[in-house]
Amino acid sequence: MARVHPELYFFGGGTAEGRATMRELLGGKGANLAEMASLKLPVPPGFTISTRVCTYYYEHKQTYPRGLEAAVGKAVARVEKLLGRRFGDPANPLLVSVRSGARVSMPGMMDTVLNLGLTDETVQGLEAASNNPRFAWDSYRRFCQMYGDVVLKLKPENKNDPDLFEEIIDRKKQARGVRNDVDLSVDDLRELVAEFRALIRSRAGQDLPQDPYEQLWQAIGAVFGSWQNDRAITYRRINHIPDDWGTAVTVQSMVFGNLGDDCATGVAFTRDPATGEKGIYGEYLPNAQGEDVVAGIRTPLQISLANGRKWAERNGVSEQERKAAHPTLEESFPQVYRELLRTANRLERHFKDMQDMEFTIERGRLFMLQTRTGKRTAEAAVRVAVDMSAERLIDRRTALMRVEPVQLEQLLHPRLDPNAAKEVLARGLPASPGAVAGEVVFSADEAVSVAGAGRKTILVRVETSPEDIHGMQVAEGILTARGGMTSHAAVVARGMGKCCVAGCGELNIDYTAGTLAVNGRVIHRGEYLTLDGSTGEVIAGRVPTVEAAMSPAFKKFMSWADAERKLGVRANADTPHDAAVAREFGAAGIGLCRTEHMFFAPERIRAVREMILAETAEQRARAIEKIVPMQRNDFVAILRAMAGLPVTIRLLDPPLHEFLPKEEHEIRELAADLGVSYEHLKQTCERLFEFNPMLGHRGSRLGISYPEVYMAQARAILEAAAELKKEGVKAVPEIMLPLIGDRREFDILAGEIRQVARQVLSDGARNLKFTIGTMIEVPRACILAGEIGASAEFFSFGTNDLTQMTYGLSRDDSVKFLDTYLKRGIYQRDPFQGLDASGVADLMRIAIERGRKANKSLKIGICGEHGGDPDSVKLCHRLGLDYVSCSPYRVPVARLAAAQAAIETGRKTREFKDV
Amino acid sequence: MARVHPELYFFGGGTAEGRATMRELLGGKGANLAEMASLKLPVPPGFTISTRVCTYYYEHKQTYPRGLEAAVGKAVARVEKLLGRRFGDPANPLLVSVRSGARVSMPGMMDTVLNLGLTDETVQGLEAASNNPRFAWDSYRRFCQMYGDVVLKLKPENKNDPDLFEEIIDRKKQARGVRNDVDLSVDDLRELVAEFRALIRSRAGQDLPQDPYEQLWQAIGAVFGSWQNDRAITYRRINHIPDDWGTAVTVQSMVFGNLGDDCATGVAFTRDPATGEKGIYGEYLPNAQGEDVVAGIRTPLQISLANGRKWAERNGVSEQERKAAHPTLEESFPQVYRELLRTANRLERHFKDMQDMEFTIERGRLFMLQTRTGKRTAEAAVRVAVDMSAERLIDRRTALMRVEPVQLEQLLHPRLDPNAAKEVLARGLPASPGAVAGEVVFSADEAVSVAGAGRKTILVRVETSPEDIHGMQVAEGILTARGGMTSHAAVVARGMGKCCVAGCGELNIDYTAGTLAVNGRVIHRGEYLTLDGSTGEVIAGRVPTVEAAMSPAFKKFMSWADAERKLGVRANADTPHDAAVAREFGAAGIGLCRTEHMFFAPERIRAVREMILAETAEQRARAIEKIVPMQRNDFVAILRAMAGLPVTIRLLDPPLHEFLPKEEHEIRELAADLGVSYEHLKQTCERLFEFNPMLGHRGSRLGISYPEVYMAQARAILEAAAELKKEGVKAVPEIMLPLIGDRREFDILAGEIRQVARQVLSDGARNLKFTIGTMIEVPRACILAGEIGASAEFFSFGTNDLTQMTYGLSRDDSVKFLDTYLKRGIYQRDPFQGLDASGVADLMRIAIERGRKANKSLKIGICGEHGGDPDSVKLCHRLGLDYVSCSPYRVPVARLAAAQAAIETGRKTREFKDV
């Protein structure tokens, strides 16, 4: 049949004008309905108005393209013809639904109107045709309510007040002395319809339209309008969905699962979305409409017998009782069940992915209302991908593209038991992942004493400082009220691989009282708190966790990823423990081993402070002598853990004042402890004060000012490597200079390190291989990469700082206004989470080009936190980096993202080729 | 005659192997001696060993190239032949001097040895030949002393102790009961020689060599060695002279001005170096050696009669007395005077520049010992350039190249009377030029009260804050102990065109006692202090100043510059007064009018604080309503002062916390004053606190967060322009958005401003022309200049911040280690003073290329402080900018630098063409 309008796509009667590939135009729902119709699956007929009409609607003062109205009329007529019912027919009326459908699923964000076509006249016809007055009047009641709510937007004045319509229902139930909606009589429902319409008249100044087409067009307008409601806008922002995609509108004939006991409605997956196990999985409700399944008032039943039995076992229900009270679809509707099974298999094989389907059984007949790719847990995603590849449904590359890299992290950290109840008190920044519970303590000393007694603790501080390190080391997790993703707490916790929720502004911490007030709850010292470092949730009490285990499917999947990827993946690790974890997760080396955190340990910080307070190079050298053996031991342990693999060790980076106390009384205590005068210490603190420490006396600038500090570190590294070499252990140290901005700066320090090497490396270790390279983290280093690259043996992009300096944006301070920038659409994503593809990446491109031109063998990586963000990893692949480095738990994430990047760029021309 | 060695250049006897153009090889001195010899001027013969030998000397363990020793012998023989005296001849010995000479003059930095060739034997011959035992033994005494000092480096152990040799002389004079060296007898001199040699033996472990060639080679080595002495290294660093240039060594036969009354020595300029007035100008001493003129023990006499009479008049000396006691060379040596005049004219015409000559008269015969380009004051430089052009000695372009642009600033500011004595107490950063004196006050309130009483004040603070603005406005100058060139004091003072010395760390300020201790001196409240904002000098008491006046020569000179330059020159000005000054100095508009300083005025800061403390947009709007009329008046006044010329007005830039007090008691006072609770204000202060304010919530980020603030400013600007238009005054406002890093950010704000314009501009002003552009000051803006440039109408490089962010270097904090970076040769110049030609400039180049590609009519300027630095202005010219903008007093500097850049690039291929 000929198309009636270019923007209207009909489906039904075993044919369709749309296809599954037309998601951009028809939305996910409309496209898949069309596809199912083409497959001659039992889809109630209907049509989809394209997303282009949505765009038109907003650009043309909420009007529609020429000819659309007539086309809708023709399409409705076609539906009428297929079903033998007429829209608005008083005798046997056709009812339709109007649903939204965007290119990607935005569940529950936009509006839907059901039962369109019901009027005072047609309700009578429905009553007669269905022979079910309750059904007919309940449908009319539901329609009035939905129309008032969705189309006319009737809301209580105070948004905390109960819904206007529900309030009327509640009054009615009270008046009748009944508890459930179903206990209301048909007359009660009639009265409700009248009361609803009175409410609509008084509030909206119009009656419920009695013209079905007026209903239809108002509903279509409401659905297009819901593209711009607050929820939808927020959802798009969070999920990076462009505002200009728009939604499609699907108008479809209604089928009913609530006409009697030969009716039902349900949701089914082709595989278990939690585990990935093959086989139909889902729930249904007899004699119900779709919304009843979602509403959760009645307990839904299992679809397959196998799952029904599992359910019974889990819930301690006997087989007899199960059969009687909880029959499965396989048992109640055996024929429909078999048809559903066939349909499910057909859809999965057709779409080559796990499907999530909605269906309705009307008078014993199966109707498919929706199919879409099923959402799944990380575990299921990996298993489905591996299984489908084994089943030859998809190839390995497709399997690799099927898992969201970031999901993998869930598999590695212990995580909160997804089945456990939890009372979320507040939400902070997900600063360092993990799920931990412990007693609340408010100071590092408390943490040490509670942990010493063998109990688990959560260290709660307004913010942390180097003074708190010993407490952070023994605590299970750290919770702070202030500071961003690079605050002391966040950085140190990530370095320690320790769970941390930072910058949770809702906390009101009272150190003196030993309490934590949050949104009206007061938690006392010693009470339990649970932190989810992956979501930032702060949860009351002790939520059980489940341990991670790498399944055989996971291992197989990762080996496929490794075979595809071009990027190396290393880990950022500061301790032997982290190094071991990273190796376990497949890291090919350490891309960033920070040395300053080693300085914060309680037994070392004293020597570090002596070093800082030294007034001569000699005094400084003496203090350093105390630190060198400790550092050497650190390096021996880490290099041993990574034997045979490269370990990039960054020399001291933070400004020295970070090692000194800030509070008056702390300065007094430290002065007494170190045996220096309070004034001297105070003056040193003041002298070291910086207006903008991020742009201050740090990184290699310390090495230039205090060569003895850097050379001591170089000595510790080289001695450690030499010691291992004697043992026959292969150590591959790469010494990295931070914050280099000039070739001469690099040359001076590299020259001094090579001088140390000549002194340190004795006969046996003379030919020990080590390299010297630099972080690229100031824009000037990118611009001068040609010069610096001629001297350096490797570059490692420090994209945290590079982003800060390229944007002129302090990560900690930007927290206050970044949200406005995201809301107003200036930034699409927080540039500290996702590498800025247009600005920072272009500077990186310049650096890579110039660096490689000067030095063909230059090895280039990234060690900023972007190294564990999948989109950023893909960008790094396109930029031609040699490797990325990320936190140990992100290593598999990066491996998969790198594989996907290789597959993606293999499929299309390289994005960055001519940029 | 054939050359004896490729690195040895002989001169004398009316010929020379070198030329004036060979400065790189022969040093300035050697090249000019050769040139004079070629001109057949009376130059004592000698030879120069090239700078290449210096390089060789350092690269080859302080040895000399093959054959040089023999060549020196031959060259000495040639001198001997010309003069008829022999080096080391006991009867009639030849004496020589050994002098250093670098490519550019490094006065007094390197070593010289005179009277070489004197031994126990030859001194007798000299005595006989000169018939002057005193002369002979005094020469030998001087030689011993110089040899011990320069070649053998004998120094007292404690560097504050008196010179070893001078101590012996002092003891001798005491023993003889005489006051002056000349009162010592010939025997005394003989004894001194013996005592000196005893000192040398005991301290150096060797005797004074009695072999003249040993003396010569040791002296040559000492002079080459002095290239690397501390003074020379420091001087090169300050003056940006590369270490690898090296020095030449000139060995020249001695002539003596101290053989008797028919002898003299002197220094002469071809024009007056202070005023530029044409005519020989200089001083001489009869019967003296060159060093006596420099030493200043005897008062030198004037050379020309005209200047002699002027001198007498100035010093209240009668003509009679003058003639008797202070005869001019013109009177005492009339014949020599005429020869000197001829020589001077010849040299000036030959070199086509004002010459600074050293001469000696030996027994009535004139010898020229040196000629070089004469150093001159700014006033003289301009006058000489203009005069020489009028005299057709040079063309206008050459004249323009003859004046150091930076010198011009001296001509515009009142300056310290160069003839006044001054006791410099300390030196801080030259934060804002000018020379002022006033009573010391330690608080803004004091400043107001003292100034109210009609007295001048210097406001002395550890550092200033917005609280101090009212005091800064009334003070003559500002002196701070802390903070760099962009500290609050420095920025505000420059904005006010007020003299400021900042970050003078040696000050010890005691507010309670009302004292200022500095290097042992204590200055009390009310005592006078003088500041030189151009040098950073802090001077005790009240040093008189001289006013600036633009001479006709200056005006003519600047008109020539304007005819050459391609770059526009604007001024940075925040007040109508500054705008008027800038216009007077030739600014073609205002390139940066900052609006925040307007907010600091005492009557406004209250409203500004109300705005900051507002909790809703409405409260904020109310507070802003109070500020708008004041801002409108500011803009009316500035736009009126610049009628017909563009005025770039930057919207609010600093983070809001800069407007709030920091100290506890100030917060309490302000809270009481504003009628808000202390806690509320304290919390606001804490909420606004930033870790790195430079990278914080500032610039256009404020406009995005608080649109009402920016729109109020836009309204004030546009209303001001409209008001002037009604008066028939042409206002050309350019609205500039600071810290833009993204096109969307710009588009949102520009859109809102245009919205305001539609509201504000009523019928009469509807077609008022205004433009909207942006600072380019974050690296990302450079990279994304293509996108931003498509929206913006102009770019103005904010190179202060761009430098900070490109280097990752806070200007204020870098003060602590920048010196190390300069000393170690990592930076050639402070990047905040001279625009970084390799890093920052390359980012600018990218921005210009991309911006112009996107928008052909894009106007591009610079408004960072580099806009007033001549080298940076030249770089801007090469980068192809449209204009530079600098402080009003730097406008002529920039005009000249721009002209020189145009002339320079006209002469050679463009440096940046292919970068």
Side-chain angles (χ1 to χ4, degrees), chain A residues 356-594:
Chain A
D356 164 2
M357 303 157 296
E358 288 177 17
F359 63 91
T360 284
I361 303 168
E362 189 185 77
R363 299 220 160 110
R365 203 172 144 204
L366 176 69
F367 288 98
M368 300 304 295
L369 298 181
Q370 172 158 313
T371 190
R372 59 185 172 190
T373 303
K375 290 211 186 299
R376 61 207 88 173
T377 63
E379 192 185 334
V382 171
R383 174 147 177 201
V384 168
V386 171
D387 285 354
M388 284 193 171
S389 172
E391 295 161 22
R392 305 204 175 268
L393 258 179
I394 54 176
D395 63 16
R396 286 185 180 178
R397 287 188 175 163
T398 306
L400 287 169
M401 297 307 292
R402 282 286 166 81
V403 179
E404 276 286 343
V406 82
Q407 280 189 302
L408 294 183
E409 199 176 348
Q410 291 174 23
L411 296 179
L412 308 173
H413 280 289
R415 52 205 152 116
L416 294 182
D417 184 344
N419 298 315
K422 57 185 185 180
E423 181 196 353
V424 177
L425 299 173
R427 195 183 276 267
L429 298 170
S432 181
V436 294
E439 294 178 28
V440 168
V441 296
F442 292 102
S443 77
D445 291 341
E446 267 179 84
V448 169
S449 96
V450 174
R455 278 146 42 211
K456 297 187 166 181
T457 70
I458 301 291
L459 176 59
V460 181
R461 301 286 299 166
V462 175
E463 53 190 336
T464 62
S465 78
E467 302 287 300
D468 298 319
I469 295 285
H470 57 300
M472 296 172 76
Q473 274 175 328
V474 299
E476 295 299 308
I478 296 124
L479 170 61
T480 68
R482 247 191 264 162
M485 294 291 284
T486 49
S487 61
H488 179 264
V491 170
V492 174
R494 278 195 299 272
M496 292 177 173
K498 191 147 288 202
C499 173
C500 175
V501 173
C504 183
E506 293 157 285
L507 304 186
N508 218 317
I509 298 169
D510 184 336
Y511 287 138
T512 327
T515 59
L516 169 67
V518 49
N519 295 326
R521 273 286 296 266
V522 178
I523 309 287
H524 294 83
R525 170 184 288 121
E527 284 189 55
Y528 258 77
L529 215 54
T530 300
L531 301 182
D532 186 336
S534 305
T535 63
E537 283 176 345
V538 179
I539 304 157
R542 191 179 201 159
V543 181
T545 56
V546 290
E547 264 304 321
M550 284 189 277
S551 67
F554 176 80
K555 286 180 183 161
K556 184 181 280 184
F557 184 78
M558 291 313 301
S559 75
W560 295 352
D562 293 342
E564 290 294 334
R565 66 186 163 91
K566 306 276 180 286
L567 270 177
V569 176
R570 297 192 187 185
N572 297 350
D574 305 343
T575 65
H577 170 260
D578 285 355
V581 170
R583 200 164 188 157
E584 165 91 7
F585 291 157
I590 290 180
L592 175 62
C593 171
R594 283 160 295 201

Side-chain angles (χ1 to χ4, degrees), chain B residues 657-870:
Chain B
H657 52 77
E658 282 201 10
F659 297 98
L660 294 182
K662 284 174 187 57
E663 300 292 328
E664 185 81 10
H665 72 95
E666 293 170 325
I667 297 174
R668 284 200 186 280
E669 284 164 24
L670 180 62
D673 182 39
L674 291 179
V676 298
S677 79
Y678 164 76
E679 285 69 27
H680 173 55
L681 182 52
K682 175 91 183 156
Q683 273 168 19
T684 303
C685 293
E686 279 173 11
R687 188 167 46 77
L688 292 178
F689 165 81
E690 294 187 308
F691 298 97
N692 292 285
M694 179 57 56
L695 309 176
H697 198 181
R698 48 174 289 239
S700 289
R701 292 163 192 167
L702 297 173
I704 293 290
S705 295
Y706 312 113
E708 55 282 6
V709 176
Y710 265 32
M711 294 318 113
Q713 288 200 298
R715 186 147 57 86
I717 293 166
L718 294 167
E719 285 177 357
E723 190 177 321
L724 288 168
K725 192 180 165 78
K726 275 178 207 146
E727 286 182 33
V729 176
K730 189 179 175 198
V732 190
E734 303 180 327
I735 300 176
M736 180 156 72
L737 297 168
L739 214 76
I740 287 287
D742 198 291
R743 181 190 184 161
R744 284 168 289 241
E745 195 180 24
F746 182 89
D747 285 344
I748 287 173
L749 294 172
E752 287 171 353
I753 292 169
R754 293 213 175 85
Q755 184 72 28
V756 167
R758 279 190 290 275
Q759 291 160 9
V760 164
L761 299 179
S762 59
D763 301 335
R766 188 140 293 159
N767 58 355
L768 179 102
K769 214 186 128 34
F770 71 96
T771 56
I772 308 175
T774 174
M775 299 273 277
I776 298 288
E777 51 187 339
V778 304
R780 193 169 191 263
C782 294
I783 295 293
L784 298 182
E787 295 182 14
I788 298 169
S791 290
E793 290 168 278
F794 62 87
F795 280 176
S796 178
F797 285 104
T799 48
N800 294 355
D801 281 6
L802 187 59
T803 300
Q804 298 199 78
M805 290 166 194
T806 303
Y807 276 78
L809 188 65
S810 155
R811 183 165 181 173
D812 285 328
D813 299 317
S814 67
V815 173
K816 291 168 199 160
F817 56 90
L818 200 57
D819 200 50
T820 310
Y821 268 65
L822 294 168
K823 266 195 195 133
R824 301 196 73 174
I826 299 170
Y827 300 156
Q828 301 303 305
R829 232 188 126 187
D830 178 344
F832 297 110
Q833 287 174 11
L835 191 56
D836 164 34
S838 54
V840 177
D842 198 34
L843 262 178
M844 289 170 69
R845 179 191 60 78
I846 290 171
I848 293 165
E849 257 177 38
R850 297 183 178 184
R852 290 239 171 91
K853 194 171 171 194
N855 177 357
K856 280 202 172 54
S857 63
L858 190 70
K859 192 161 62 175
I860 306 182
I862 177 178
C863 63
E865 295 193 32
H866 298 104
D869 170 68

Side-chain angles (χ1 to χ4, degrees), chain B residues 515-742:
Chain B
T515 57
L516 169 67
V518 49
N519 295 327
R521 273 285 298 264
V522 177
I523 309 288
H524 294 84
R525 170 182 289 122
E527 283 188 55
Y528 257 78
L529 215 54
T530 299
L531 302 181
D532 186 337
S534 306
T535 63
E537 282 175 346
V538 180
I539 304 157
R542 191 180 200 158
V543 181
T545 56
V546 290
E547 264 305 320
M550 284 189 276
S551 67
F554 176 80
K555 287 179 183 162
K556 183 181 281 184
F557 185 77
M558 291 314 301
S559 74
W560 295 352
D562 293 342
E564 290 294 334
R565 68 186 161 93
K566 305 277 181 285
L567 269 178
V569 177
R570 298 192 187 184
N572 297 350
D574 305 343
T575 64
H577 171 260
D578 285 355
V581 170
R583 199 165 189 158
E584 164 90 7
F585 290 158
I590 290 181
L592 176 61
C593 170
R594 283 159 296 200
T595 52
E596 52 270 19
H597 299 136
M598 302 170 178
F599 284 12
F600 282 121
E603 70 279 14
R604 300 179 182 187
I605 185 109
R606 199 195 140 96
V608 172
R609 286 166 170 173
E610 278 175 29
M611 172 186 94
I612 294 169
L613 294 171
E615 292 185 343
T616 63
E618 290 70 36
Q619 280 181 18
R620 197 169 301 116
R622 265 203 304 283
I624 290 167
E625 275 317 305
K626 299 182 189 170
I627 306 170
V628 168
M630 305 178 191
Q631 281 251 301
R632 187 170 46 230
N633 291 342
D634 296 331
F635 296 138
V636 165
I638 287 190
L639 289 167
R640 192 195 300 282
M642 297 305 280
L645 298 177
V647 177
T648 306
I649 300 170
R650 179 178 74 181
L651 302 189
L652 193 68
D653 185 51
L656 296 183
H657 52 77
E658 282 201 10
F659 297 98
L660 294 182
K662 284 174 187 57
E663 300 292 328
E664 185 81 10
H665 72 95
E666 293 170 325
I667 297 174
R668 284 200 186 280
E669 284 164 24
L670 180 62
D673 182 39
L674 291 179
V676 298
S677 79
Y678 164 76
E679 285 69 27
H680 173 55
L681 182 52
K682 175 91 183 156
Q683 273 168 19
T684 303
C685 293
E686 279 173 11
R687 188 167 46 77
L688 292 178
F689 165 81
E690 294 187 308
F691 298 97
N692 292 285
M694 179 57 56
L695 309 176
H697 198 181
R698 48 174 289 239
S700 289
R701 292 163 192 167
L702 297 173
I704 293 290
S705 295
Y706 312 113
E708 55 282 6
V709 176
Y710 265 32
M711 294 318 113
Q713 288 200 298
R715 186 147 57 86
I717 293 166
L718 294 167
E719 285 177 357
E723 190 177 321
L724 288 168
K725 192 180 165 78
K726 275 178 207 146
E727 286 182 33
V729 176
K730 189 179 175 198
V732 190
E734 303 180 327
I735 300 176
M736 180 156 72
L737 297 168
L739 214 76
I740 287 287
D742 198 291

Side-chain angles (χ1 to χ4, degrees), chain A residues 2-78:
Chain A
R3 296 279 305 282
V4 293
H5 191 278
E7 302 307 338
L8 186 151
Y9 292 81
F10 190 87
F11 59 84
T15 177
E17 294 170 354
R19 291 190 315 278
T21 50
M22 294 165 78
R23 304 173 69 85
E24 292 186 15
L25 226 46
L26 306 183
K29 184 193 300 276
N32 280 1
L33 279 171
E35 191 79 8
M36 285 199 290
S38 295
L39 293 172
K40 304 198 190 303
L41 292 173
V43 175
F47 56 89
T48 301
I49 302 170
S50 83
T51 54
R52 279 201 289 251
V53 175
C54 185
T55 310
Y56 184 99
Y57 180 77
Y58 281 106
E59 283 175 358
H60 293 83
K61 300 184 181 159
Q62 319 207 339
T63 61
Y64 299 99
R66 183 193 300 262
L68 189 70
E69 198 174 336
V72 165
K74 285 183 195 159
V76 170
R78 196 167 158 193

Side-chain angles (χ1 to χ4, degrees), chain A residues 592-640:
Chain A
L592 175 62
C593 171
R594 283 160 295 201
T595 53
E596 53 270 18
H597 299 136
M598 301 169 177
F599 284 13
F600 282 121
E603 70 277 16
R604 299 179 182 189
I605 185 114
R606 198 194 141 96
V608 173
R609 287 167 168 170
E610 278 177 30
M611 173 187 95
I612 294 169
L613 293 171
E615 292 185 344
T616 62
E618 290 71 36
Q619 280 181 18
R620 195 169 302 119
R622 267 203 303 283
I624 289 168
E625 276 316 305
K626 298 182 189 169
I627 305 170
V628 168
M630 304 177 192
Q631 279 250 301
R632 186 170 47 230
N633 290 344
D634 296 329
F635 297 138
V636 165
I638 286 190
L639 289 167
R640 191 195 301 281

Side-chain angles (χ1 to χ4, degrees), chain A residues 849-866:
Chain A
E849 257 176 39
R850 296 183 178 183
R852 290 238 171 91
K853 194 172 171 195
N855 177 355
K856 279 204 173 52
S857 63
L858 189 69
K859 193 161 62 174
I860 306 182
I862 177 178
C863 63
E865 295 194 33
H866 298 104

Side-chain angles (χ1 to χ4, degrees), chain A residues 748-770:
Chain A
I748 287 173
L749 293 172
E752 287 172 355
I753 292 169
R754 294 212 175 85
Q755 183 72 27
V756 168
R758 279 189 289 275
Q759 291 160 9
V760 165
L761 300 179
S762 59
D763 301 336
R766 187 142 294 159
N767 56 357
L768 178 101
K769 213 186 128 35
F770 70 96

